[in-house]
C-alpha cells in the first residue's frame, strides 16, 4: 500500500524534474530485531526506526508497481540492529535543528493501534480518531482504520494526506485499484 500511495502522490503532484531523487520514509518495529542491544527492564514503549526507500521521479512514474513495492520491502528489510545503532549514533552527532520534508513522503500507519478496538468514552467506539489538520506537515500520510459502528472486520483504511486542490482528483483516480499499473 505504501508503494502505491507513494507512486500516486508523485504522479498526482506532477513532480519535476524527472531525475530528482525522492524518499519514502516509514517506521519499522525493531523490537524483535534486537539481539545485542537490550531494552531496560520495564521498558514498554515502541521500538521503531525510520526506513527509507529512494527512487527517481522517472522510475516512480514509469516503473511497475511491483518494482516500487520491492524498493519499499528492501528498505524495510535493511532495518537491522546495526542500522538502528547507526541511526542513533547519527542523530546524536548530527541532531537535526528542524524537520526536513523536501523530496520526502513519510507514511505512518495507525491501523493497528489498540485504541481503535478498546476506546469507549461512554457513547461507543469512535467513528474517527486521528489527526485534525495535516497542513503543518504536508508531506506526511497517515493511514487510519475505517471507523464507525458498522465497520466490524472491515480491513479498509482511510488515507489522510495533504494535497493541493489541483492534485486531489488525480490522486483519488490514481489510488483506485483500477489504475495500479
Amino acid at each position: 500500500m505504501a508503494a502505491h500511495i507513494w507512486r500516486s502522490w508523485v504522479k498526482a503532484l506532477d513532480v519535476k524534474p524527472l531525475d530528482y531523487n525522492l524518499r519514502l520514509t516509514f517506521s519499522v518495529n525493531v523490537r524483535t530485531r534486537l539481539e545485542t542491544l537490550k531494552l531496560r527492564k520495564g521498558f514498554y514503549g515502541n521500538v521503531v526506526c525510520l526506513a527509507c526507500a529512494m527512487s527517481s521521479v522517472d522510475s516512480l512514474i514509469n516503473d511497475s508497481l511491483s518494482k516500487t513495492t520491492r524498493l519499499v520491502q528492501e528498505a524495510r528489510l535493511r532495518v537491522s540492529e546495526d542500522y538502528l545503532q547507526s541511526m542513533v549514533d547519527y542523530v546524536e552527532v548530527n541532531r537535526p535543528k528542524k524537520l526536513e520534508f523536501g523530496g520526502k513522503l513519510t507514511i505512518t500507519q495507525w491501523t493497528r493501534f489498540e485504541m481503535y478496538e478498546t476506546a469507549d468514552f461512554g457513547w461507543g467506539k469512535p467513528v474517527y480518531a486521528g489527526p485534525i489538520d495535516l497542513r503543518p506537515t504536508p508531506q506526511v500520510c497517515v493511514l487510519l482504520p475505517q471507523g464507525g459502528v458498522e465497520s466490524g472486520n472491515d480491513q479498509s483504511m482511510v488515507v489522510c494526506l495533504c494535497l493541493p486542490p489541483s492534485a486531489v482528483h488525480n490522486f483519488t483516480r490514481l489510488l483506485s485499484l483500477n489504475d495500479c499499473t
Side-chain angles (χ1 to χ4, degrees):
M1 191 66 189
H4 187 44
I5 291 170
W6 190 24
R7 290 178 79 230
S8 299
W9 178 74
V10 169
K11 289 178 179 182
L13 291 173
D14 194 26
V15 178
K16 302 279 191 264
L18 294 179
D19 63 346
Y20 189 69
N21 283 320
L22 299 175
R23 294 168 292 153
L24 173 71
T25 60
F26 53 95
S27 59
V28 174
N29 179 358
V30 292
R31 183 181 288 274
T32 60
R33 300 176 191 204
L34 298 179
E35 294 173 17
T36 59
L37 295 172
K38 299 298 177 198
L39 299 174
R40 287 184 299 220
K41 185 177 173 111
F43 181 83
Y44 62 91
N46 292 325
V47 184
V48 296
C49 185
L50 280 183
C52 181
M54 293 184 64
S55 179
S56 69
V57 173
D58 184 57
S59 293
L60 285 169
I61 290 171
N62 295 311
D63 288 349
S64 67
L65 177 58
S66 62
K67 185 170 181 180
T68 305
T69 300
R70 266 192 308 282
L71 287 174
V72 174
Q73 289 170 334
E74 289 166 0
R76 183 178 56 82
L77 292 173
R78 275 193 306 272
V79 176
S80 63
E81 187 174 41
D82 289 339
Y83 182 101
L84 175 63
Q85 186 62 59
S86 175
M87 179 174 261
V88 168
D89 293 344
Y90 177 82
V91 170
E92 281 182 2
V93 173
N94 302 301
R95 185 168 302 274
K97 305 273 188 276
K98 62 180 183 169
L99 292 175
E100 180 270 314
F101 292 105
K104 176 176 75 173
L105 175 64
T106 298
I107 294 182
T108 181
Q109 182 175 352
W110 293 9
T111 58
R112 295 185 184 140
F113 285 172
E114 190 174 313
M115 77 169 182
Y116 293 109
E117 295 301 317
T118 60
D120 187 338
F121 301 103
W123 52 85
K125 289 185 180 180
V127 172
Y128 177 82
I132 294 171
D133 186 355
L134 288 173
R135 286 177 294 183
T137 53
Q139 289 166 289
V140 172
C141 174
V142 180
L143 303 179
L144 302 171
Q146 179 69 48
V149 178
E150 309 294 322
S151 62
N153 289 332
D154 188 359
Q155 298 296 309
S156 300
M157 287 188 280
V158 175
V159 177
C160 300
L161 177 68
C162 279
L163 291 167
S166 59
V168 171
H169 176 74
N170 263 351
F171 180 78
T172 304
R173 180 184 57 78
L174 292 162
L175 197 62
S176 75
L177 295 178
N178 298 328
D179 199 8
C180 285
T181 56

